[in-house]
Amino acid sequence: MPGAFAVIARSMRAVLALTALAGFTAGVPWLLIVAAGWPLDWIGWHQPDAIPSTDDLYTAVTSPWSDHMLLALLATIGWVLWAQFLRDTTIEIIEALAARGGPPRPSARRRGPIRWIAAALVGAVAGAVLFDAARAITHTPGTAVADAAARNPAVTVAPAHPDTPTTAHHGPRPALTNAETTTKAFTAHRDGPAVPSWARDAPGGTHPVVAGDNLWDLAATHLDDPHRWREIYTLNRGHEQANGYTLTDPDEIHVGWILALPTRDTAPGPNAAGSGGPDSSAPPANEPGPAVPPITADPVPSNPDAPVPGPDRAEPGAPDDPAGTAAPAPDTEPLKDEPGDEAGIALPTQGWISLGLATAIAAVAALLRLQHRRRARLTFPPPVSIAPHPAPIPPSLARIDTIGSRHLPTGTEDHRPVGPTPPAPVGIDTSAGEVSLFQLPGPGIALHGDGAIPAARAILAAALTTNATETAVLRPVVVTTAGLLTQLLPEQAHPAGLDPDGTAYDGERLLVLADTAAAITHAEEEMITRRRLLDTFNAETITDLNTRDDHAETQPPYVLLIEATSRHATRLNAVTAHRAALDLHPIILGRHPGIPAIKVTADGTVTGDEPHPVARWSTLSGDDLAAVLAMLSDALARPEAGTDVDDPPVETSPAAVTTEATEPVPAQPDDADALVRLRVLGPVTVATDAGPIATGMRSGSYTVLAVLAAHPAGRTLDQLAANLHPDVAPAAAVKRVRTDITSARRVLRAATGQEEPMFIVYDPATGRYQLDPQTVTVDLWQMLTAIDQATNSNGEATTLTALRRATELYGGDFTEGHDHTWATDYASGYRHQILTAYARIAEILETDHPDQVIAALERATELDPVNEELYQRIMRIHGRQQRPDAVRRTLRRLEERLTDLGDTEPSQATRRIAERQLRPVTHASGTRQ
């Protein structure tokens, strides 16, 4: 009942405020017009349409003032004050209707008296209409009024009466100032286990509410962002507290409550690798430190680098499984607690793209990685590092690469990425299904609204990435104007990939014309050409024509991306009329007669009463579009000069440039003895002296061991969760990682018969987990140790021995067979180092043992079939041994393997080497070159 009375009172207050607001905004000008008429009569301006001269103004000011002139002066002042009130009211309404997470309202000290009146009236209306409506519909405040409610300080409330139900208390409750109640509440928190069971696994710990606390300040202190108060509210809503009440209203929290906190970082990124901070959640029960921090009356410190308290290690022999019997089941259960937006990916730059477009961009990133491998130089000494190869995309698109790669289909060759379906994915429908640009109905698309430009960027990216990784497949052609492309790209950005004359991108895939008229002319010419082809071959549509094999005139999808124009509307309508038959797809930015207008909001959502197949369009920022164009420019096939193996290196090898700080690698000789042998080069396996561990280990435990092998300095729980479960809610991902660590320890202890070793040790000073090099040997560490010994060796014999040990230890790509994107760049870095080792072996043995060298280099080409320098070295040795047929076979094999990279061909340098070996030059001394 108190809640109902509060709603009624708020509604009555809103009606009175709305009446007063209407009186001020409409009644005041009516009164001024009736009472005074034209208000500028006092300065000599007697009529609105008769502008006074200078003499009239002088006469009016110097003449004696009449009562009518005084009334006009007062009316002028009234109009000025009314305009000020209207301005302040407009500002208050805009702030009250501000988007969720917007800036806080200005403090009262910066409001004048008129602004005070406007704020009071608008606040009364907003408080009743907006706040109550939002809470009734969504139960989650979503406006600036809710932000203001979240700033209300905590109150002291007596425990609920025993006879009173303790489940659902709605509305504000009286703030009691009983000091005895406050003292008892904090005494219970300090002296007893007051943390409720539902809050003990809080991802960010817990906080005891003290006098003066509110959700806004708690989010600012513990989460570094006051606008994240809603996460605290959602996490604690509906849970019963010690005084019998529950959190149902963000403007009412009680002194003595225990609030669960979310993690400080909601989505740890790749750059978190270098962080030395502790986990945001407490370690598992068998780890050092209590599972729940002690509760005190003081607020929890907000220092993210504070170490987790606790002893150095758990008690020896502490069981990981309370039951101590059942072996862990394989990690085959489906992922749970995934984020709500399962149909797309939110970008750091405020963009959003569907999973289909993310997959297309990830395929281009995979192709770009292959191109980097093709061009990599094998220079000795190799950069001995455990850090990964640098990612080929900027950090803003890293999440796209991570999640999109998981949706890539598997190709027929293990080193070629396969593009996604459907082609040109531009958004999702109401069922979260992917929508293709080429399957949309109607004569074309006319986009307008705040999201039109971001959606156009995504459409351009979707069209250009379609079939970018495929061979012998038609790729769409996009025609646009220079002016529109300037709007789509960042200011003063050079369109990556444009030909030197600035007319085309990637050959003829993106045509950039001077203006809209030129673009429409080009579309008309294309329309005529395609219609003639259909008439010549008696076909109904371009799609039917492309399926026939009696001609070579296949036509790709044609996308026309221009701004709306009234001058050429008739010509453009003639093109749109043939969209379906001729595979022409006009995209118009702005309203256009004859094409249904689609209003797109800033986040890509389609608004309006008319249904449309696309419920939400993908959107991109200018920087992200520029990054996609740069990736395409670097990844797609084109003639290249290349680098001759005999040329000295002119730049640092790509593998030497890392995105993370280099971690020291434990020196482990290949004959080191330990309880457990971990192999991560190739399929991840674990073995003991008794043999491989074939059962009991979770698949997640294998991947945790692999991550820790690539990070000898250790990883926090948050970092492990971000690597292994990037598309799972952080709290759920951390729980899975904890389970995997516990399972691995239990299985390793059972396999070794040792109860004392931890195998995966925990450092309370940094909050990191790491492999214990005293009990676990890792083939990756042993390989890098051998390469380091070869690098620092003085004699060729010692160098050769160390390099051979390294190549024997390399059993395949890092974590081969595991579908984890994070491991891709690590595998590239380790592969490059071992290829360099093979190249150095070839240099040492080439003079005396050429056949052994060829065998070693052939083995290297199996590890990386696209690296051109390996084939250059093989052809050079065959040429020196006078084997021209072997040179031709080697070049032909390289051509076949590069075809998988989007019809890429060997570089000019590689072909020159082949020609040099096929036509050797004989000097007077008899030597051949």
Side-chain angles (χ1 to χ4, degrees):
M1 291 300 293
F5 285 129
V7 173
I8 294 174
R10 223 171 1 239
S11 300
M12 294 180 61
R13 198 162 56 243
V15 171
L16 294 175
L18 189 60
T19 303
L21 195 61
F24 276 116
T25 55
V28 169
W30 176 83
L31 180 63
L32 290 174
I33 293 173
V34 171
W38 177 247
L40 299 180
D41 191 34
W42 62 279
I43 64 172
W45 192 346
H46 304 293
Q47 297 295 331
D49 56 347
I51 300 176
S53 64
T54 305
D55 294 336
D56 294 335
L57 296 176
Y58 179 81
T59 301
V61 174
T62 56
S63 300
W65 284 34
S66 63
D67 293 342
H68 180 71
M69 293 178 64
L70 291 175
L71 182 61
L73 172 61
L74 294 176
T76 302
I77 297 174
W79 279 107
V80 173
L81 294 177
W82 176 82
Q84 178 68 24
F85 174 80
L86 194 63
R87 170 186 173 275
D88 292 342
T89 301
T90 303
I91 294 175
E92 289 295 327
I93 292 175
I94 292 174
E95 291 185 353
L97 296 175
R100 179 175 179 171
R105 296 163 66 88
S107 64
R109 289 176 295 181
R110 296 193 313 210
R111 293 187 176 124
I114 297 178
R115 182 76 178 272
W116 262 111
I117 297 174
L121 296 177
V122 174
V125 176
V129 178
L130 299 179
F131 182 81
D132 288 341
R135 187 169 61 176
I137 295 174
T138 66
H139 303 289
T140 303
T143 65
V145 176
D147 284 346
R151 299 189 184 94
N152 289 341
V155 296
T156 306
V157 177
H161 192 275
D163 297 332
T164 304
T166 61
T167 55
H169 301 271
H170 299 285
R173 300 177 177 82
L176 304 182
T177 56
N178 188 333
E180 181 180 358
T181 303
T182 306
T183 304
K184 289 181 179 180
F186 281 110
T187 301
H189 294 162
R190 183 178 62 251
D191 299 336
V195 178
S197 58
W198 59 267
R200 290 175 183 168
D201 291 329
T206 57
H207 173 81
V209 178
V210 298
D213 277 350
N214 57 56
L215 298 184
W216 181 272
D217 292 339
L218 291 180
T221 300
H222 298 289
L223 307 180
D224 295 332
D225 184 0
H227 298 296
R228 291 182 62 191
W229 66 264
R230 293 176 179 82
E231 299 179 32
I232 304 178
Y233 172 71
T234 303
L235 194 60
N236 294 272
R237 183 178 59 196
H239 291 293
E240 182 179 345
Q241 295 285 347
N243 63 354
Y245 293 95
T246 60
L247 177 61
T248 58
D249 195 331
D251 65 354
E252 182 180 331
I253 60 174
H254 300 170
V255 173
W257 278 6
I258 302 298
L259 297 181
L261 300 176
T263 56
R264 181 178 296 269
D265 295 325
T266 57
N271 293 336
S275 172
D279 305 327
S280 60
S281 54
N286 63 330
E287 289 304 330
V292 179
I295 301 299
T296 65
D298 298 326
V300 177
S302 61
N303 180 12
D305 296 325
V308 178
D312 292 338
R313 54 163 297 147
E315 293 182 7
D320 295 308
D321 184 7
T325 54
D331 188 14
T332 57
E333 67 271 20
L335 297 178
K336 300 179 181 179
D337 299 321
E338 295 193 4
D341 190 3
E342 298 178 354
I345 303 173
L347 305 179
T349 53
Q350 305 306 315
W352 179 92
I353 65 171
S354 68
L355 289 179
L357 180 54
T359 306
I361 295 175
V364 174
L367 183 62
L368 183 55
R369 287 185 172 94
L370 287 173
Q371 294 287 15
H372 286 182
R373 288 167 52 182
R374 178 174 74 92
R375 304 168 182 142
R377 297 295 307 274
L378 307 179
T379 305
F380 193 86
V384 180
S385 172
I386 204 162
H389 193 285
I393 63 176
S396 63
L397 301 183
R399 183 168 171 81
I400 293 178
D401 185 31
T402 300
I403 297 179
S405 297
R406 295 195 167 198
H407 297 270
L408 280 176
T410 302
T412 55
E413 290 83 17
D414 58 359
H415 59 279
R416 178 170 64 90
V418 178
T421 54
V426 293
I428 58 174
D429 56 22
T430 55
S431 302
E434 294 290 339
V435 179
S436 170
L437 172 66
F438 306 140
Q439 301 301 324
L440 292 176
I445 301 169
L447 302 177
H448 68 98
D450 295 338
I453 291 294
R457 297 187 183 110
I459 291 173
L460 180 58
L464 293 179
T465 56
T466 294
N467 295 333
T469 62
E470 302 292 329
T471 60
V473 177
L474 293 177
R475 295 165 180 165
V477 172
V478 182
V479 176
T480 188
T481 64
L484 181 53
L485 190 60
T486 301
Q487 296 183 52
L488 300 182
L489 293 174
E491 185 177 358
Q492 297 180 348
H494 177 69
L498 283 176
D499 287 347
D501 59 357
T503 59
Y505 169 88
D506 180 33
E508 297 298 325
R509 291 198 60 201
L510 175 59
L511 302 181
V512 184
L513 303 180
D515 51 27
T516 303
I520 295 178
T521 300
H522 191 279
E524 290 173 331
E525 295 172 351
E526 185 70 20
M527 176 185 67
I528 295 172
T529 300
R530 295 188 176 211
R531 177 56 64 186
R532 287 175 176 171
L533 284 174
L534 294 184
D535 294 341
T536 301
F537 292 96
N538 195 25
E540 294 293 330
T541 66
I542 289 295
T543 302
D544 296 337
L545 181 66
N546 289 340
T547 58
R548 297 170 56 169
D549 56 4
D550 58 349
H551 68 97
E553 298 294 336
T554 55
Q555 301 296 315
Y558 182 97
V559 179
L560 179 65
L561 180 60
I562 58 174
E563 294 181 281
T565 173
S566 58
R567 180 178 179 182
H568 307 288
T570 304
R571 298 171 58 195
L572 182 57
N573 287 338
V575 175
T576 61
H578 300 274
R579 178 191 182 189
L582 302 183
D583 207 6
L584 304 176
H585 306 279
I587 310 296
I588 315 300
L589 296 187
R591 298 179 182 272
H592 182 81
I595 298 180
I598 305 171
K599 186 175 182 180
V600 184
T601 62
D603 65 350
T605 304
V606 175
T607 61
D609 299 331
E610 295 295 330
H612 191 268
V614 182
R616 186 175 186 181
W617 292 81
S618 297
T619 59
L620 283 176
S621 69
D623 291 332
D624 290 341
L625 175 61
V628 172
L629 294 182
M631 290 169 55
L632 282 166
S633 175
D634 197 22
L636 297 182
R638 61 190 60 200
E640 295 189 21
T643 306
D644 195 312
V645 64
D646 295 321
D647 294 338
V650 295
E651 59 182 359
T652 305
S653 173
V657 183
T658 63
T659 57
E660 299 183 14
T662 301
E663 300 180 29
V665 182
Q668 278 194 342
D670 56 341
D671 56 353
D673 188 21
L675 294 174
V676 173
R677 295 187 296 276
L678 172 63
R679 297 189 62 86
V680 294
L681 298 174
V684 181
T685 60
V686 184
T688 65
D689 290 338
I693 299 177
T695 59
M697 188 80 75
R698 293 168 57 91
S699 63
S701 299
Y702 283 115
T703 53
V704 167
L705 292 173
V707 174
L708 296 180
H711 292 275
R715 301 291 270 177
T716 66
L717 281 177
D718 284 342
Q719 292 169 342
L720 288 168
N723 284 144
L724 302 180
H725 309 292
D727 48 356
V728 179
V734 166
K735 290 180 181 179
R736 291 173 65 87
V737 172
R738 284 177 173 171
T739 302
D740 294 334
I741 292 175
T742 301
S743 172
R745 286 172 170 164
R746 180 170 57 245
V747 172
L748 294 179
R749 287 170 179 166
T752 59
Q754 302 286 332
E755 294 297 329
E756 176 69 16
M758 298 290 288
F759 300 104
I760 302 174
V761 297
Y762 176 78
D763 184 0
T766 62
R768 296 185 178 188
Y769 294 81
Q770 58 190 107
L771 294 177
D772 181 6
Q774 303 301 320
T775 58
V776 180
T777 59
V778 183
D779 59 344
L780 172 62
W781 300 352
Q782 293 173 335
M783 183 195 77
L784 294 178
T785 298
I787 294 178
D788 184 64
Q789 291 174 352
T791 301
N792 298 317
S793 176
N794 294 326
E796 286 190 349
T798 307
T799 299
L800 185 61
T801 301
L803 291 175
R804 282 174 169 168
R805 285 204 308 269
T807 58
E808 291 170 358
L809 288 166
Y810 190 86
D813 283 347
F814 179 67
T815 67
E816 184 178 309
H818 281 264
D819 182 22
H820 290 288
T821 308
W822 69 269
T824 302
D825 294 325
Y826 288 84
S828 296
Y830 306 149
R831 184 193 309 109
H832 182 269
Q833 294 181 67
I834 205 63
L835 294 182
T836 303
Y838 275 109
R840 179 55 179 160
I841 292 175
E843 292 176 353
I844 296 175
L845 297 178
E846 181 175 350
T847 302
D848 298 328
H849 305 282
D851 291 336
Q852 294 183 22
V853 171
I854 291 177
L857 293 177
E858 294 284 358
R859 165 61 179 159
T861 60
E862 295 176 4
L863 300 178
D864 194 342
V866 297
N867 182 269
E868 284 200 43
E869 184 172 330
L870 292 174
Y871 295 90
Q872 291 179 2
R873 291 176 178 271
I874 293 174
M875 288 189 295
R876 187 176 62 178
I877 297 174
H878 281 312
R880 291 174 178 175
Q881 297 299 314
Q882 301 184 20
R883 302 168 183 169
D885 291 340
V887 174
R888 296 187 183 95
R889 286 195 304 269
T890 303
L891 180 61
R892 188 161 51 249
R893 185 166 68 251
L894 174 61
E895 291 173 338
E896 294 171 352
R897 290 179 172 178
L898 291 184
T899 301
D900 297 329
L901 272 71
D903 295 323
T904 301
E905 295 183 349
S907 66
Q908 299 172 11
T910 300
R911 293 193 180 278
R912 283 198 305 271
I913 290 176
E915 293 173 359
R916 193 162 63 237
Q917 304 309 319
L918 292 173
R919 292 189 295 273
V921 179
T922 303
H923 295 278
S925 60
T927 59
R928 302 171 71 252
Q929 183 180 4

